[in-house]
Amino acid sequence: MSTRAYAAPSATEPLGPLTITRREPLATDVEIEILYCGVCHSDLHYARNEWGMTTFPIVPGHEILGRVTRVGAKVTKFKVGDTAAVGCLVDSCRTCSSCESDLEQFCLNGPVFSYGGPDKHSGGQTHGGYSEKIVCDEAFTLKVPSNLDPAAAAPLLCAGITTYSPLRKWGAGKGKKVGIVGLGGLGHMGVKFAHALGARTVLFTTSEGKVADGKRLGADEVVISKNAHAMAQHAGSFDLILDTVSADHDFNAYLALLKLDASMVVVGAPPTPQPVSVFSLLMPRRNLAGSLIGGIAETQEMLDFCGKHDLVCDIEIIRMQQINEAYERMLKSDVKYRFVIDMASLKG
Ligand code: NAP
Ligand code: ZN
Ligand code: ZN
């Protein structure tokens, strides 16, 4: 079916309107009228081909929330009128060891991402949430707790799960000192989750204007990372540091803040390699790791956790037509703290 969308035609042109085709819902599919879609920095990296893997035109968007408008004959989880959400994953092989361990994002046969992935139905590539509708298998469609504001819940589908998953895996909680690097879309949810999990939470930011917000969002302490003296005060003291930065920065400055056997987990994905001195890791024995979004079951667990703790994202709602300006503001770290597109604007 013909679907209105917004796409990047090439790495150097602004995003603009494009009509795409979505499949008619199959037996286990849910059709969702998209109400809100968050704007992730990955959308910008991808639209500008900064990771060198984009096929154009591309419709970005993987923080998708809307209303169910049709369901296939075998759908059991959803009915017409339900609120439903889709994140970064729309399919996987479902049989490999990763899929069987609820780690579809690491599917050994290749996870199918919401945009830029191989679309086994159309033969082309998948297109994301900057569009009026999406059709997704119910196995990859999430339920959103009814107490959460839908626009502010949308970014949980990427910014939420990408920070929740490593904080849980690396044991953020009571008695732990956890650092969050960067106060953007991911970082602000990292601060909220680390605080909600009971960890002593320290925010590292390059933006002096974000100190008060950092504390309001749940940080016990905020460190301006450009201040070497302030950084040195924390040497060797962290159990875990979660790095959400989208651009070049010095990993070694944060590794130096870890305790023996503690870990720095990188989720930010700057396009260029970041140099690491082995001495940052050797003395005392430290770990550097990465993490990618989260599996479907864990994404549902995160949404339910947010429902229970009344946690959503701090957002600024924009119209679809403002997306290019929003990208420029994101590059200047000028977003508080996630842009969310009101998809009704696509029609008018
Ligand atoms: P964002 O909203 O733009 O936030 C990034 C933050 O990084 C900024 O707000 C800024 O925080 C800090 N920053 C920016 N430039 C910097 C620089 N030159 N030096 C130091 N700090 C800088 O982006 P986002 O949507 O949170 O995404 C962050 C990164 O995570 C992106 O690279 C994205 O592709 C990646 N990502 C990864 C996954 C995954 O699964 N691993 C999932 C989603 C996104 P301050 O102003 O506080 O310094
Ligand atoms: Zn994302
Ligand atoms: Zn698999």
Side-chain angles (χ1 to χ4, degrees):
M1 88 199 89
S2 175
T3 305
R4 277 178 287 205
Y6 242 61
S10 76
T12 51
E13 288 169 278
L15 280 78
L18 179 76
T19 301
I20 57 169
T21 305
R22 298 279 192 200
R23 68 177 179 269
E24 288 296 322
L26 304 170
T28 56
D29 280 343
V30 176
E31 180 193 73
I32 300 167
E33 177 197 3
I34 301 174
L35 300 176
Y36 297 105
C37 184
V39 179
C40 179
H41 206 114
S42 300
D43 299 351
L44 187 160
H45 289 311
Y46 212 86
R48 298 188 176 178
N49 199 15
E50 291 176 354
W51 294 331
M53 55 174 88
T54 311
T55 303
F56 293 97
I58 184 78
V59 177
H62 55 205
E63 296 181 335
I64 301 163
L65 187 145
R67 190 183 302 118
V68 175
T69 42
R70 281 197 283 172
V71 293
K74 293 191 177 151
V75 168
T76 57
K77 268 167 60 184
F78 297 93
K79 58 180 191 322
V80 170
D82 285 355
T83 300
V86 177
C88 305
L89 293 166
V90 290
D91 210 348
S92 70
C93 84
R94 309 183 197 196
T95 56
C96 73
S97 55
S98 293
C99 289
E100 285 190 341
S101 312
D102 289 325
L103 295 168
E104 298 87 356
Q105 74 273 36
F106 305 123
C107 174
L108 298 176
N109 295 302
V112 183
F113 293 109
S114 316
Y115 57 81
D119 187 331
K120 71 180 177 203
H121 304 282
S122 75
Q125 67 172 341
T126 55
H127 284 303
Y130 297 3
S131 59
E132 60 181 330
K133 294 177 205 157
I134 191 164
V135 176
C136 184
D137 193 294
E138 68 167 334
F140 286 78
T141 306
L142 286 308
K143 287 189 171 280
V144 182
S146 58
N147 59 315
L148 301 181
D149 174 70
L156 296 174
L157 275 299
C158 177
I161 185 59
T162 302
T163 48
Y164 179 86
S165 180
L167 288 171
R168 292 303 303 265
K169 179 172 170 55
W170 275 272
K174 285 198 174 49
K176 297 290 170 70
K177 183 174 172 185
V178 174
I180 306 290
V181 187
L183 195 68
L186 268 56
H188 94 288
M189 288 315 299
V191 169
K192 288 192 188 199
F193 283 135
H195 175 76
L197 291 166
R200 175 166 177 78
T201 304
V202 179
L203 166 69
F204 294 95
T205 179
T206 58
S207 305
E208 288 180 22
K210 293 182 184 172
V211 173
D213 278 350
K215 291 192 176 152
R216 175 180 60 78
L217 293 164
D220 297 291
E221 200 174 328
V222 180
V223 176
I224 303 295
S225 53
K226 292 182 280 196
N227 180 337
H229 176 71
M231 292 288 279
Q233 306 286 304
H234 291 272
S237 68
F238 279 87
D239 296 286
L240 172 64
I241 294 179
L242 184 64
D243 183 337
T244 76
V245 174
S246 52
D248 290 346
H249 61 294
D250 184 13
F251 281 19
N252 303 289
Y254 296 99
L255 287 166
L257 309 186
L258 295 175
K259 286 180 180 168
L260 171 69
D261 283 337
S263 301
M264 167 160 155
V265 181
V266 178
V267 289
T272 48
Q274 306 299 304
V276 172
S277 161
V278 292
F279 295 101
S280 300
L281 299 170
L282 302 183
M283 187 55 198
R285 190 171 62 191
R286 295 169 172 134
N287 305 297
L288 177 60
S291 184
L292 182 78
I293 49 173
I296 296 298
E298 192 175 38
T299 305
Q300 190 61 61
E301 176 192 310
M302 177 275 308
L303 287 166
D304 295 343
F305 179 92
C306 289
K308 194 169 156 213
H309 295 265
D310 238 330
L311 275 182
V312 284
C313 307
D314 284 34
I315 60 164
E316 177 177 339
I317 295 187
I318 60 166
R319 294 168 56 77
M320 188 70 257
Q321 295 77 1
Q322 292 172 289
I323 189 67
N324 296 299
E325 186 193 317
Y327 278 9
E328 291 311 313
R329 284 185 53 197
M330 192 154 59
L331 281 173
K332 291 186 207 140
S333 304
D334 175 25
V335 43
K336 292 186 174 169
Y337 280 89
R338 194 58 135 189
F339 292 120
V340 171
I341 306 160
D342 177 357
M343 216 42 79
S345 62
L346 195 55
K347 295 172 190 146

